Amino acid sequence: MDPTAEIEQGLSAFGEDFRAQFAAAESELTLRSARAELLGKKGRLTQLLKLMGRVPADQRKRLGEAVNASKLEVEACFQARLDELSRAAREADLKATPFDLSLPGRAPARGHLHPLTQVREQVLDTFEGLGFEVASGPQVELEENNFTKLAFPPDHPATDMQDTFWVKVAGAESARTLLRTHTSNVQVREMSQRQPPMAVVSGGAVFRRDDDVTHSPMFHQIEGFWVGEGVSFSHLKGVLTAFLERMYGAGVAVRFRPSYFPFVEPGAEVDVACDFCTETTCASCRVCKGTRWLEILGCGMIHPEVLEHCGIDSERYTGFAFGLGVERVAMRRYGIPDIRLLFENDPRFLAQF
Ligand code: FA5
Protein backbone atom coordinates (compact mmCIF):
# COMPACT_ATOMS: atom_id res chain seq x y z
CA MET A 1 0.00 0.00 0.00
CA ASP A 2 1.00 3.63 -0.55
CA PRO A 3 2.78 4.72 2.66
CA THR A 4 0.94 8.06 2.77
CA ALA A 5 -2.42 6.32 2.75
CA GLU A 6 -1.20 3.69 5.20
CA ILE A 7 -0.17 6.40 7.71
CA GLU A 8 -3.41 8.31 7.26
CA GLN A 9 -5.50 5.19 7.82
CA GLY A 10 -3.36 4.13 10.76
CA LEU A 11 -3.81 7.53 12.41
CA SER A 12 -7.56 7.59 11.97
CA ALA A 13 -7.84 4.01 13.26
CA PHE A 14 -5.66 5.01 16.20
CA GLY A 15 -8.46 7.06 17.69
CA GLU A 16 -8.82 7.77 21.38
CA ASP A 17 -8.88 4.20 22.75
CA PHE A 18 -5.59 4.68 24.54
CA ARG A 19 -7.25 7.12 26.96
CA ALA A 20 -9.60 4.44 28.23
CA GLN A 21 -6.77 1.90 28.35
CA PHE A 22 -4.58 4.21 30.42
CA ALA A 23 -7.45 5.12 32.72
CA ALA A 24 -8.16 1.42 33.29
CA ALA A 25 -4.56 0.67 34.30
CA GLU A 26 -4.53 0.24 38.09
CA SER A 27 -0.77 -0.16 38.53
CA GLU A 28 2.34 1.45 37.12
CA LEU A 29 3.28 -1.86 35.51
CA THR A 30 0.06 -2.23 33.49
CA LEU A 31 0.18 1.46 32.59
CA ARG A 32 3.69 1.12 31.24
CA SER A 33 2.86 -1.98 29.19
CA ALA A 34 -0.19 -0.16 27.70
CA ARG A 35 2.13 2.64 26.70
CA ALA A 36 4.62 0.17 25.18
CA GLU A 37 1.88 -1.17 22.91
CA LEU A 38 1.76 2.28 21.32
CA LEU A 39 5.22 3.71 21.66
CA GLY A 40 7.43 0.65 22.25
CA LYS A 41 9.73 -0.75 19.55
CA LYS A 42 6.86 -2.64 17.94
CA GLY A 43 4.14 -0.18 19.06
CA ARG A 44 1.43 1.01 16.73
CA LEU A 45 2.63 4.61 16.50
CA THR A 46 6.25 3.52 16.16
CA GLN A 47 5.29 1.37 13.15
CA LEU A 48 3.63 4.39 11.51
CA LEU A 49 6.72 6.52 12.17
CA LYS A 50 8.87 3.91 10.43
CA LEU A 51 6.88 4.46 7.23
CA MET A 52 7.85 8.15 7.12
CA GLY A 53 11.05 7.36 5.22
CA ARG A 54 9.03 6.21 2.23
CA VAL A 55 6.57 9.16 2.18
CA PRO A 56 7.14 11.62 -0.73
CA ALA A 57 8.95 14.76 0.40
CA ASP A 58 6.00 17.11 -0.17
CA GLN A 59 3.80 15.01 2.19
CA ARG A 60 6.40 14.39 4.84
CA LYS A 61 6.01 17.58 6.86
CA ARG A 62 2.22 17.33 7.17
CA LEU A 63 2.23 13.63 8.05
CA GLY A 64 5.22 13.96 10.39
CA GLU A 65 3.44 16.68 12.34
CA ALA A 66 0.28 14.58 12.58
CA VAL A 67 2.14 11.50 13.89
CA ASN A 68 4.14 13.61 16.36
CA ALA A 69 0.97 15.30 17.63
CA SER A 70 -0.51 11.86 18.38
CA LYS A 71 2.67 10.82 20.09
CA LEU A 72 2.64 13.93 22.32
CA GLU A 73 -0.99 13.29 23.25
CA VAL A 74 -0.18 9.72 24.24
CA GLU A 75 2.81 10.87 26.35
CA ALA A 76 0.80 13.59 28.10
CA CYS A 77 -2.03 11.19 28.86
CA PHE A 78 0.43 8.55 30.13
CA GLN A 79 2.21 11.06 32.39
CA ALA A 80 -1.06 12.34 33.86
CA ARG A 81 -2.17 8.80 34.75
CA LEU A 82 1.28 7.97 36.16
CA ASP A 83 1.04 11.04 38.47
CA GLU A 84 -2.44 9.98 39.53
CA LEU A 85 -1.24 6.48 40.39
CA SER A 86 1.75 7.68 42.43
CA ARG A 87 -0.44 10.19 44.33
CA ALA A 88 -2.89 7.41 45.11
CA ALA A 89 -0.04 5.12 46.22
CA ARG A 90 1.34 7.82 48.52
CA GLU A 91 -2.10 8.47 50.03
CA ALA A 92 -2.63 4.78 50.64
CA ASP A 93 0.78 4.59 52.26
CA LEU A 94 0.04 7.52 54.55
CA LYS A 95 -3.30 6.01 55.55
CA ALA A 96 -1.71 2.64 56.25
CA THR A 97 0.97 4.12 58.54
CA PRO A 98 -0.52 7.23 60.10
CA PHE A 99 2.00 9.44 61.89
CA ASP A 100 1.69 11.96 64.64
CA LEU A 101 2.66 15.40 63.40
CA SER A 102 2.89 16.66 66.96
CA LEU A 103 5.77 14.29 67.85
CA PRO A 104 9.02 16.20 68.47
CA GLY A 105 11.69 15.83 65.74
CA ARG A 106 14.90 13.88 66.21
CA ALA A 107 17.57 16.36 67.23
CA PRO A 108 20.91 15.82 65.43
CA ALA A 109 23.57 14.53 67.84
CA ARG A 110 25.73 17.38 69.12
CA GLY A 111 29.46 17.00 68.74
CA HIS A 112 32.10 18.26 71.13
CA LEU A 113 35.80 18.97 71.12
CA HIS A 114 38.17 15.99 71.03
CA PRO A 115 39.49 15.16 74.53
CA LEU A 116 43.01 16.14 73.43
CA THR A 117 41.76 19.56 72.30
CA GLN A 118 39.90 19.94 75.59
CA VAL A 119 43.02 19.10 77.60
CA ARG A 120 45.23 21.36 75.46
CA GLU A 121 42.86 24.27 76.06
CA GLN A 122 42.64 23.53 79.79
CA VAL A 123 46.43 23.46 80.06
CA LEU A 124 46.93 26.64 78.02
CA ASP A 125 44.17 28.40 80.01
CA THR A 126 45.83 27.41 83.28
CA PHE A 127 49.16 28.86 82.20
CA GLU A 128 47.51 31.97 80.78
CA GLY A 129 45.93 32.38 84.21
CA LEU A 130 49.44 32.21 85.71
CA GLY A 131 50.57 35.07 83.44
CA PHE A 132 52.00 33.20 80.42
CA GLU A 133 51.21 34.37 76.89
CA VAL A 134 50.41 31.92 74.06
CA ALA A 135 52.64 31.59 70.96
CA SER A 136 52.87 29.11 68.09
CA GLY A 137 55.60 27.55 65.96
CA PRO A 138 55.91 25.40 62.81
CA GLN A 139 55.74 21.59 62.74
CA VAL A 140 58.20 21.40 59.83
CA GLU A 141 61.33 22.91 61.30
CA LEU A 142 65.00 23.55 60.59
CA GLU A 143 67.47 21.29 62.38
CA GLU A 144 68.97 24.49 63.79
CA ASN A 145 65.85 25.42 65.78
CA ASN A 146 64.97 21.88 66.82
CA PHE A 147 68.47 20.72 67.81
CA THR A 148 71.48 22.96 67.17
CA LYS A 149 70.48 26.10 69.05
CA LEU A 150 69.27 23.87 71.88
CA ALA A 151 72.88 22.71 72.31
CA PHE A 152 72.52 19.31 70.65
CA PRO A 153 75.86 18.98 68.82
CA PRO A 154 75.64 17.55 65.26
CA ASP A 155 75.16 13.78 65.41
CA HIS A 156 74.88 13.84 69.19
CA PRO A 157 73.27 10.58 70.36
CA ALA A 158 70.45 12.65 71.86
CA THR A 159 69.20 13.31 68.34
CA ASP A 160 69.04 9.53 67.86
CA MET A 161 67.19 9.22 71.12
CA GLN A 162 64.36 11.26 69.62
CA ASP A 163 64.49 9.21 66.41
CA THR A 164 63.67 11.97 64.00
CA PHE A 165 61.58 12.08 60.79
CA TRP A 166 63.79 14.02 58.34
CA VAL A 167 62.14 15.92 55.49
CA LYS A 168 63.45 16.72 52.02
CA VAL A 169 62.44 20.24 51.00
CA ALA A 170 62.81 20.83 47.24
CA GLY A 171 65.08 23.79 46.55
CA ALA A 172 66.36 23.96 50.15
CA GLU A 173 68.66 20.90 50.20
CA SER A 174 71.42 22.77 52.08
CA ALA A 175 69.26 23.38 55.19
CA ARG A 176 68.43 20.16 57.04
CA THR A 177 64.72 20.01 57.78
CA LEU A 178 62.66 17.71 59.99
CA LEU A 179 59.26 17.19 61.61
CA ARG A 180 59.85 18.81 64.98
CA THR A 181 60.52 16.25 67.70
CA HIS A 182 59.39 18.56 70.49
CA THR A 183 57.85 22.01 70.98
CA SER A 184 61.16 23.39 72.30
CA ASN A 185 61.65 24.93 68.82
CA VAL A 186 59.18 27.62 69.96
CA GLN A 187 61.54 28.49 72.84
CA VAL A 188 64.33 29.12 70.34
CA ARG A 189 62.13 31.10 67.95
CA GLU A 190 60.60 33.33 70.62
CA MET A 191 63.88 33.94 72.49
CA SER A 192 65.65 34.80 69.21
CA GLN A 193 63.06 37.46 68.42
CA ARG A 194 62.69 39.35 71.68
CA GLN A 195 64.32 40.26 74.95
CA PRO A 196 63.29 39.25 78.50
CA PRO A 197 61.20 39.35 80.55
CA MET A 198 58.98 36.85 78.76
CA ALA A 199 56.72 34.01 79.86
CA VAL A 200 55.35 32.00 76.97
CA VAL A 201 53.41 28.76 76.40
CA SER A 202 52.87 27.01 73.09
CA GLY A 203 51.12 23.78 72.12
CA GLY A 204 51.10 21.60 69.03
CA ALA A 205 51.88 18.32 67.29
CA VAL A 206 55.34 16.74 67.43
CA PHE A 207 56.69 13.60 65.75
CA ARG A 208 58.95 10.70 66.74
CA ARG A 209 59.39 7.06 65.79
CA ASP A 210 57.69 5.74 68.94
CA ASP A 211 54.73 3.36 69.23
CA ASP A 212 53.34 1.59 72.34
CA VAL A 213 50.67 2.10 75.04
CA THR A 214 52.26 5.34 76.29
CA HIS A 215 54.08 6.43 73.09
CA SER A 216 52.64 7.54 69.74
CA PRO A 217 54.59 8.57 66.58
CA MET A 218 52.55 11.79 66.46
CA PHE A 219 51.64 13.33 69.75
CA HIS A 220 51.17 16.77 71.28
CA GLN A 221 53.29 18.80 73.61
CA ILE A 222 52.93 22.05 75.43
CA GLU A 223 56.10 24.02 75.95
CA GLY A 224 56.41 26.74 78.51
CA PHE A 225 59.26 28.98 79.57
CA TRP A 226 59.90 32.03 81.67
CA VAL A 227 63.04 34.13 81.23
CA GLY A 228 63.83 37.17 83.35
CA GLU A 229 66.11 38.46 86.07
CA GLY A 230 66.32 36.17 89.08
CA VAL A 231 64.18 33.32 87.74
CA SER A 232 65.13 30.20 89.70
CA PHE A 233 64.42 26.50 90.06
CA SER A 234 62.03 27.24 92.93
CA HIS A 235 59.90 29.31 90.51
CA LEU A 236 59.90 26.30 88.20
CA LYS A 237 58.78 23.98 91.01
CA GLY A 238 56.14 26.44 92.20
CA VAL A 239 54.63 26.99 88.75
CA LEU A 240 54.58 23.30 87.80
CA THR A 241 53.19 22.18 91.16
CA ALA A 242 50.42 24.81 90.90
CA PHE A 243 49.65 23.56 87.39
CA LEU A 244 49.56 19.87 88.38
CA GLU A 245 47.34 20.60 91.38
CA ARG A 246 44.89 22.40 89.10
CA MET A 247 44.86 19.40 86.77
CA TYR A 248 44.69 16.62 89.33
CA GLY A 249 43.50 18.22 92.55
CA ALA A 250 45.33 19.63 95.57
CA GLY A 251 47.71 17.20 97.23
CA VAL A 252 48.33 15.03 94.14
CA ALA A 253 51.60 13.10 94.55
CA VAL A 254 54.22 14.63 92.22
CA ARG A 255 57.93 13.88 91.99
CA PHE A 256 60.77 15.81 90.36
CA ARG A 257 63.35 13.29 89.14
CA PRO A 258 66.79 14.49 87.97
CA SER A 259 67.20 13.96 84.24
CA TYR A 260 69.36 15.07 81.33
CA PHE A 261 68.38 17.31 78.42
CA PRO A 262 71.24 19.11 76.63
CA PHE A 263 69.38 22.43 76.70
CA VAL A 264 68.81 22.68 80.47
CA GLU A 265 71.02 22.58 83.55
CA PRO A 266 69.87 21.22 85.94
CA GLY A 267 67.18 19.13 84.29
CA ALA A 268 64.34 17.02 85.66
CA GLU A 269 61.43 14.90 84.65
CA VAL A 270 58.17 15.25 86.51
CA ASP A 271 55.98 12.26 87.28
CA VAL A 272 52.55 12.04 88.87
CA ALA A 273 51.37 9.02 90.83
CA CYS A 274 49.91 6.32 88.57
CA ASP A 275 46.23 5.74 89.30
CA PHE A 276 45.80 2.89 86.82
CA CYS A 277 47.02 0.33 89.37
CA THR A 278 47.21 -0.40 93.09
CA GLU A 279 50.08 -1.65 95.24
CA THR A 280 49.00 -5.22 94.45
CA THR A 281 48.34 -4.87 90.68
CA CYS A 282 51.29 -2.55 90.05
CA ALA A 283 53.70 -5.26 88.82
CA SER A 284 51.55 -5.89 85.73
CA CYS A 285 50.47 -2.26 85.07
CA ARG A 286 51.05 -1.48 81.36
CA VAL A 287 50.89 2.28 81.98
CA CYS A 288 53.48 2.77 84.74
CA LYS A 289 55.25 -0.54 84.06
CA GLY A 290 55.47 -1.30 87.75
CA THR A 291 56.98 2.04 88.80
CA ARG A 292 53.75 3.56 90.26
CA TRP A 293 54.62 6.83 88.45
CA LEU A 294 53.58 8.26 85.08
CA GLU A 295 55.98 10.69 83.42
CA ILE A 296 54.19 13.87 82.36
CA LEU A 297 56.91 16.34 81.43
CA GLY A 298 60.55 17.31 81.13
CA CYS A 299 61.88 20.58 82.53
CA GLY A 300 64.90 22.48 83.83
CA MET A 301 66.78 25.76 83.98
CA ILE A 302 67.55 26.95 80.43
CA HIS A 303 71.24 26.32 79.70
CA PRO A 304 73.24 29.61 79.47
CA GLU A 305 74.59 28.44 76.10
CA VAL A 306 71.01 28.27 74.74
CA LEU A 307 70.27 31.80 75.98
CA GLU A 308 73.44 33.04 74.24
CA HIS A 309 72.55 31.19 70.99
CA CYS A 310 69.31 33.17 71.01
CA GLY A 311 70.98 36.54 71.70
CA ILE A 312 70.06 36.77 75.40
CA ASP A 313 72.64 37.88 77.99
CA SER A 314 73.09 34.81 80.20
CA GLU A 315 75.00 36.83 82.87
CA ARG A 316 71.95 38.97 83.43
CA TYR A 317 69.02 36.64 82.75
CA THR A 318 68.03 33.15 83.79
CA GLY A 319 65.00 31.13 82.87
CA PHE A 320 63.20 27.84 83.22
CA ALA A 321 61.47 25.74 80.57
CA PHE A 322 59.27 22.68 80.47
CA GLY A 323 57.66 20.48 77.83
CA LEU A 324 54.69 18.31 78.70
CA GLY A 325 52.92 15.52 76.83
CA VAL A 326 49.25 16.43 76.26
CA GLU A 327 48.27 12.76 75.73
CA ARG A 328 49.89 11.75 79.01
CA VAL A 329 48.09 14.56 80.85
CA ALA A 330 44.79 13.41 79.25
CA MET A 331 45.45 9.73 80.07
CA ARG A 332 45.98 10.51 83.73
CA ARG A 333 43.15 13.06 83.88
CA TYR A 334 40.50 10.79 82.32
CA GLY A 335 41.83 7.33 83.23
CA ILE A 336 42.64 6.34 79.61
CA PRO A 337 44.85 3.23 79.80
CA ASP A 338 46.18 3.22 76.21
CA ILE A 339 47.38 6.31 74.30
CA ARG A 340 46.21 4.80 70.98
CA LEU A 341 42.55 5.16 72.01
CA LEU A 342 43.05 8.91 71.65
CA PHE A 343 43.82 8.56 67.93
CA GLU A 344 41.40 5.82 66.83
CA ASN A 345 38.42 8.23 66.95
CA ASP A 346 35.93 5.51 67.87
CA PRO A 347 32.68 7.45 68.59
CA ARG A 348 31.90 5.10 71.53
CA PHE A 349 35.15 6.24 73.16
CA LEU A 350 34.84 9.92 72.24
CA ALA A 351 31.21 10.12 73.49
CA GLN A 352 32.54 9.60 77.03
CA PHE A 353 34.16 13.04 77.23
C1 FA5 B 1 61.20 16.79 75.59
O1 FA5 B 1 60.57 16.64 74.53
C2 FA5 B 1 61.77 18.09 75.98
N1 FA5 B 1 61.72 19.01 74.87
C3 FA5 B 1 61.01 18.63 77.17
C4 FA5 B 1 61.71 19.79 77.82
C5 FA5 B 1 61.34 21.06 77.48
C6 FA5 B 1 62.72 19.54 78.74
C7 FA5 B 1 61.99 22.14 78.07
C8 FA5 B 1 63.36 20.62 79.33
C9 FA5 B 1 63.00 21.91 79.00
P1 FA5 B 1 60.71 14.40 76.45
O2 FA5 B 1 61.26 13.66 75.31
O3 FA5 B 1 60.90 13.77 77.78
O4 FA5 B 1 61.26 15.84 76.54
O5 FA5 B 1 59.14 14.60 76.20
C10 FA5 B 1 58.35 15.41 77.06
C11 FA5 B 1 57.03 14.70 77.38
O6 FA5 B 1 56.37 14.35 76.17
C12 FA5 B 1 57.21 13.38 78.09
O7 FA5 B 1 57.32 13.60 79.48
C13 FA5 B 1 55.93 12.66 77.74
O8 FA5 B 1 54.87 13.15 78.56
C14 FA5 B 1 55.66 13.12 76.36
N2 FA5 B 1 56.12 12.16 75.33
C15 FA5 B 1 57.38 11.89 74.91
N3 FA5 B 1 57.38 10.99 73.92
C16 FA5 B 1 56.09 10.68 73.68
C17 FA5 B 1 55.41 9.84 72.75
N4 FA5 B 1 56.07 9.15 71.81
N5 FA5 B 1 54.06 9.76 72.80
C18 FA5 B 1 53.38 10.49 73.71
N6 FA5 B 1 53.93 11.32 74.61
C19 FA5 B 1 55.28 11.41 74.59
Side-chain angles (χ1 to χ4, degrees), residues 121-161:
E121 289 186 0
Q122 289 160 10
V123 174
L124 291 176
D125 279 356
T126 305
F127 283 108
E128 269 191 291
L130 291 169
F132 286 71
E133 61 180 290
V134 179
S136 63
Q139 293 174 13
V140 180
E141 183 55 287
L142 296 173
E143 177 183 27
E144 193 189 2
N145 294 331
N146 192 87
F147 289 134
T148 322
K149 283 193 170 174
L150 287 165
F152 289 82
D155 303 321
H156 187 281
T159 61
D160 277 354
M161 192 172 75

Side-chain angles (χ1 to χ4, degrees), residues 188-268:
V188 171
R189 285 176 171 267
E190 291 294 315
M191 292 197 306
S192 301
Q193 276 166 26
R194 46 209 274 215
Q195 284 297 308
M198 61 180 120
V200 177
V201 268
S202 177
V206 304
F207 308 83
R208 297 180 195 177
R209 290 172 196 247
D210 278 346
D211 201 4
D212 64 33
V213 297
T214 53
H215 292 82
S216 160
M218 189 283 298
F219 62 103
H220 299 85
Q221 283 190 341
I222 288 178
E223 188 84 4
F225 58 96
W226 176 18
V227 185
E229 283 183 58
V231 177
S232 70
F233 201 90
S234 45
H235 292 121
L236 167 62
K237 274 193 97 172
V239 166
L240 289 180
T241 307
F243 158 70
L244 290 168
E245 293 207 332
R246 288 214 189 151
M247 279 288 128
Y248 301 118
V252 61
V254 172
R255 76 171 178 185
F256 283 72
R257 179 168 43 83
S259 184
Y260 173 73
F261 299 95
F263 39 97
V264 290
E265 179 56 38

Side-chain angles (χ1 to χ4, degrees), residues 93-140:
D93 198 31
L94 288 179
K95 275 197 193 124
T97 51
F99 59 90
D100 180 354
L101 282 174
S102 64
L103 279 177
R106 280 194 203 123
R110 281 184 70 182
H112 59 72
L113 293 177
H114 190 280
L116 285 179
T117 312
Q118 291 181 32
V119 169
R120 191 186 66 206
E121 289 186 0
Q122 289 160 10
V123 174
L124 291 176
D125 279 356
T126 305
F127 283 108
E128 269 191 291
L130 291 169
F132 286 71
E133 61 180 290
V134 179
S136 63
Q139 293 174 13
V140 180

